Amino acid sequence: MITLSNPGHPVAISLLYGLFLFICTIYNVSGQENPEVVYIRASTEKIAQIVGDHDNETDQPTQNQTLSRYNLWGTDLGIPFQHKNKIYMLFGDVPGSDRDPIAYTEDDDPEDGLDLTFITTPGGDFRPITIPGISQGAFEVPVEGVSVNDVMYVYFSTGHFQQLVLAKSTDDGLTFELVGEISQESFINVSIEQVETDVWPGLPTVEGTGIIIFGSGTYRQSNVKLAFQPVDQIEQKEAIRYFTGLNETKI
């Protein structure tokens, strides 16, 4: 069986069995030598450069003209999540300011590029995500977002990837308030999927929506870990139940 801790609910092996095997594959828990990673030519295709005014490869004008429109010539990341029928994207560490923009799109056809609208200040510059009470400098960035009951939640890594906090916005990303710390150990960088619990037999709750959390700890020095949390308890750190291992299971 798989066991989730805090307080420790046994769940059937059907719980994210494939995802567990995926994690095992990535981190090679069998001890076998990892195969060489080889790039296959022409297996990827560039569609568009989405920030800046001129494409660095083609020197043609970009679709979004973010330098002229938002005083944003470059940034990192680009983490998407759905909120109120729009796709929001979280960016991080703009060169020169180390601040973190947020944009949204209603473009449903990325094959011809992606139209982005950035949240702005009254003067028209990009408006950085600002969370009172935490440090927001270089290498302190948003790592995930999720929408619950029309409230936007953003997971933010601070302390130079030493701490993960949760913040929320009730005005669609204009302002944020700090909910609280999530972790200083297991989860510093996270990725989240919402699931309907009645579709996944064996979860600690059998009704409503939950969130499956993949996370890593120390930056580039940690394995991936797994947890579950009822979505209606997203603001309660103690509601997170961490995967603690396999018991009495033949794989």
Side-chain angles (χ1 to χ4, degrees):
M1 304 179 75
I2 294 176
T3 301
L4 298 179
S5 67
N6 192 14
H9 289 261
V11 296
I13 189 61
S14 58
L15 169 62
L16 302 179
Y17 176 72
L19 297 180
F20 174 76
L21 292 183
F22 172 70
I23 293 171
C24 292
T25 301
I26 291 177
Y27 284 89
N28 192 27
V29 296
S30 67
Q32 297 178 358
E33 183 178 354
N34 286 322
E36 180 183 1
V37 177
V38 178
Y39 172 69
I40 301 175
R41 291 185 179 275
S43 62
T44 58
E45 177 184 355
K46 173 182 174 179
I47 295 176
Q49 179 180 309
I50 63 174
V51 295
D53 276 7
H54 291 86
D55 188 295
N56 292 332
E57 179 186 12
T58 66
D59 200 32
Q60 297 298 308
T62 63
Q63 182 173 349
N64 290 301
Q65 294 289 286
T66 62
L67 178 59
S68 301
R69 297 171 63 196
Y70 307 114
N71 195 26
L72 175 64
W73 68 269
T75 187
D76 196 6
L77 307 178
I79 300 163
F81 67 100
Q82 188 169 343
H83 173 70
K84 291 185 177 179
N85 298 317
K86 297 177 182 177
I87 300 297
Y88 280 76
M89 298 187 73
L90 307 172
F91 297 93
D93 280 0
V94 171
S97 71
D98 293 326
R99 297 308 303 275
D100 311 303
I102 179 171
Y104 65 86
T105 183
E106 298 179 87
D107 189 344
D108 60 1
D109 183 13
E111 285 295 328
D112 59 355
L114 195 63
D115 292 323
L116 290 177
T117 300
F118 281 81
I119 296 176
T120 62
T121 66
D125 290 351
F126 77 88
R127 182 186 184 102
I129 297 171
T130 300
I131 303 171
I134 67 168
S135 174
Q136 292 185 250
F139 295 100
E140 297 174 319
V141 293
V143 297
E144 182 62 289
V146 66
S147 181
V148 178
N149 297 326
D150 288 339
V151 176
M152 180 186 295
Y153 289 91
V154 169
Y155 295 80
F156 200 98
S157 184
T158 184
H160 293 83
F161 278 98
Q162 296 297 315
Q163 181 185 42
L164 182 71
V165 300
L166 180 66
K168 69 178 180 180
S169 172
T170 57
D171 54 12
D172 304 328
L174 263 178
T175 61
F176 287 87
E177 63 177 283
L178 181 64
V179 175
E181 176 192 289
I182 298 297
S183 177
Q184 293 191 38
E185 181 180 356
S186 297
F187 284 177
I188 305 299
N189 197 353
V190 296
S191 181
I192 288 175
E193 289 294 331
Q194 291 195 49
V195 298
E196 295 304 316
T197 56
D198 60 353
V199 179
W200 292 88
L203 285 171
T205 58
V206 296
E207 295 181 352
T209 305
I211 54 177
I212 303 298
I213 311 171
F214 296 92
S216 58
T218 304
Y219 186 53
R220 295 181 177 175
Q221 300 179 49
S222 171
N223 290 336
V224 174
K225 297 183 179 181
L226 178 66
F228 170 83
Q229 185 180 25
V231 77
D232 59 0
Q233 300 178 48
I234 190 171
E235 297 189 18
Q236 301 173 29
K237 174 183 176 180
E238 61 275 11
I240 300 175
R241 294 169 170 84
Y242 293 89
F243 169 81
T244 58
L246 297 175
N247 182 32
E248 298 178 0
T249 299
K250 295 181 179 181
I251 299 180

